[in-house]
C-alpha cells in the first residue's frame, strides 16, 4: 500500500526566505508526482506535475524535484511572500488518475 | 471557461440521513474523481468515473455510491450518514483517465454531520 509522508507538518518563515518542503513515498512504482496548494476551506490548485521519467519541474519561483528510486520529492520556494501562505500537498499517481496524498505542510510566511 | 463546479458549498445533515453531492467537470473533460478530506488530513480517493463507467474505487463502505451522467457531470451519494462522514468532499476532473493527466479540483462541498 502506497504511503506518502510530508515533513515538516508546519513551517513558519519570514518573508523573503527560501524554503524547502519534503515529501516521501513508500512505493517507487509511480506514474507521476504532483504538488498542490490548498487555501483554508478551499479546493486544490495544481502547482507542478513531474512525470516518473523526469527529475524536476519549474514554474516561476517554484521548483520541484523527484528522485523516484529513493522515494523522495522536494518543493523549493524561492523568495517567499505572505501570499504563499497555504497548505502544500504532495500526491503520487499509481493508477490512472487515482492519487495518494500526504497530509500536507502548513506554510506561514510572515511579513 | 468555468472550472470544476460543486454544489452545494456547505451542507448540514444529521446521523442516519442521506446526502447527494453534485459536480460539473470542466467543459471537454470526461473523467470525474471524488475525494474525501477530513480536517487536518490529505484527501482520500473515493471513486473515479470515465464515460459513465466506474474506473476505480477507494476503501470506502457501500454506503458511498456515485454515478456519471451523459453530460459527464457526476453525483456522490452517501447513505446512513455517520459523524465520521463529516469532511470536505472534493471533485476533480480531467480530459482522460491516462496516468499523466493533470487533475483540476473544485472548491468542494463541506459536509457536517450532527
Amino acid at each position: 500500500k502506497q504511503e506518502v509522508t510530508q515533513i515538516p507538518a508546519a513551517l513558519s518563515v519570514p518573508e523573503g526566505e527560501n524554503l524547502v518542503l519534503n515529501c516521501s513515498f513508500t512505493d517507487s512504482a509511480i506514474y507521476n508526482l504532483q504538488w498542490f496548494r490548498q487555501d483554508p476551506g478551499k479546493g486544490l490548485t495544481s502547482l507542478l506535475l513531474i512525470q516518473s521519467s523526469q527529475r524536476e519541474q519549474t514554474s516561476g519561483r517554484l521548483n520541484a524535484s523527484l528522485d523516484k528510486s529513493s522515494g523522495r520529492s522536494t518543493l523549493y520556494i524561492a523568495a517567499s511572500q505572505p501570499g504563499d501562505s497555504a497548505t502544500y500537498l504532495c500526491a503520487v499517481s499509481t493508477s490512472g488518475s487515482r492519487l495518494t496524498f500526504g497530509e500536507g505542510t502548513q506554510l506561514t510566511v510572515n511579513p | 471557461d468555468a472550472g470544476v463546479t460543486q454544489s452545494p458549498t456547505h451542507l448540514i445533515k444529521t446521523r442516519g440521513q442521506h446526502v447527494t453531492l453534485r459536480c460539473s467537470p470542466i467543459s471537454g473533460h470526461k473523467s470525474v474523481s471524488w475525494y474525501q478530506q477530513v480536517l487536518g488530513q490529505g484527501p482520500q480517493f473515493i471513486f473515479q468515473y470515465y464515460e459513465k463507467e466506474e474506473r476505480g474505487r477507494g476503501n470506502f463502505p457501500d454506503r458511498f455510491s456515485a454515478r456519471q451522467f451523459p453530460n459527464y457531470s457526476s453525483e456522490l451519494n452517501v447513505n446512513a450518514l455517520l459523524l465520521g462522514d463529516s469532511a470536505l468532499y472534493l471533485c476533480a476532473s480531467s480530459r482522460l483517465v491516462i496516468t499523466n493527466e493533470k487533475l483540476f479540483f473544485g472548491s468542494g462541498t463541506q459536509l457536517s454531520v450532527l
Side-chain angles (χ1 to χ4, degrees):
Chain A
K1 177 187 172 186
Q2 178 74 268
E3 293 183 0
V4 180
T5 303
Q6 291 188 244
I7 295 173
L11 183 63
S12 181
V13 300
E15 181 177 3
E17 192 162 298
N18 302 326
L19 56 99
V20 174
L21 308 182
N22 297 291
C23 172
S24 61
F25 46 95
T26 55
D27 185 350
S28 62
I30 66 170
Y31 292 110
N32 63 56
L33 182 144
Q34 296 185 59
W35 283 93
F36 292 88
R37 169 187 172 138
Q38 185 174 33
D39 293 289
K42 301 294 185 182
L44 280 61
T45 300
S46 180
L47 299 173
L48 291 164
L49 183 153
I50 310 176
Q51 298 181 19
S52 61
S53 59
Q54 297 177 321
R55 293 300 296 256
E56 67 177 332
Q57 281 286 334
T58 298
S59 176
R61 294 183 294 107
L62 305 178
N63 175 275
S65 68
L66 173 64
D67 184 342
K68 199 172 80 161
S69 61
S70 69
R72 297 186 181 190
S73 175
T74 61
L75 178 65
Y76 175 83
I77 303 177
S80 59
Q81 303 171 357
D84 294 330
S85 298
T87 295
Y88 290 80
L89 292 157
C90 165
V92 297
S93 169
T94 53
S95 173
S97 302
R98 176 176 181 162
L99 298 180
T100 301
F101 284 84
E103 295 194 343
T105 293
Q106 186 173 353
L107 173 65
T108 302
V109 181
N110 300 299
Chain B
D1 285 342
V4 178
T5 58
Q6 293 187 242
S7 63
T9 55
H10 294 83
L11 202 53
I12 299 175
K13 292 286 188 178
T14 57
R15 283 177 296 175
Q17 285 189 312
H18 163 270
V19 68
T20 297
L21 311 181
R22 295 179 174 82
C23 172
S24 293
I26 291 172
S27 177
H29 285 195
K30 298 182 178 181
S31 176
V32 169
S33 301
W34 288 95
Y35 288 79
Q36 180 197 64
Q37 187 178 24
V38 174
L39 188 64
Q41 298 182 16
Q44 297 287 322
F45 173 77
I46 309 175
F47 285 111
Q48 181 183 39
Y49 276 79
Y50 178 72
E51 292 281 14
K52 298 179 290 180
E53 293 188 3
E54 183 182 302
R55 289 300 191 96
R57 182 184 184 115
N59 188 24
F60 280 81
D62 292 343
R63 298 184 298 107
F64 288 76
S65 64
R67 56 180 175 168
Q68 187 176 32
F69 299 99
N71 66 353
Y72 304 113
S73 67
S74 178
E75 284 183 353
L76 176 69
N77 296 283
V78 187
N79 293 323
L81 285 168
L82 303 175
L83 296 179
D85 295 332
S86 295
L88 180 67
Y89 288 85
L90 295 164
C91 173
S93 77
S94 61
R95 291 182 303 121
L96 303 171
V97 75
I98 58 176
T99 55
N100 284 318
E101 277 282 304
K102 183 180 285 190
L103 291 187
F104 295 84
F105 282 82
S107 297
T109 294
Q110 184 66 56
L111 172 64
S112 298
V113 182
L114 306 179

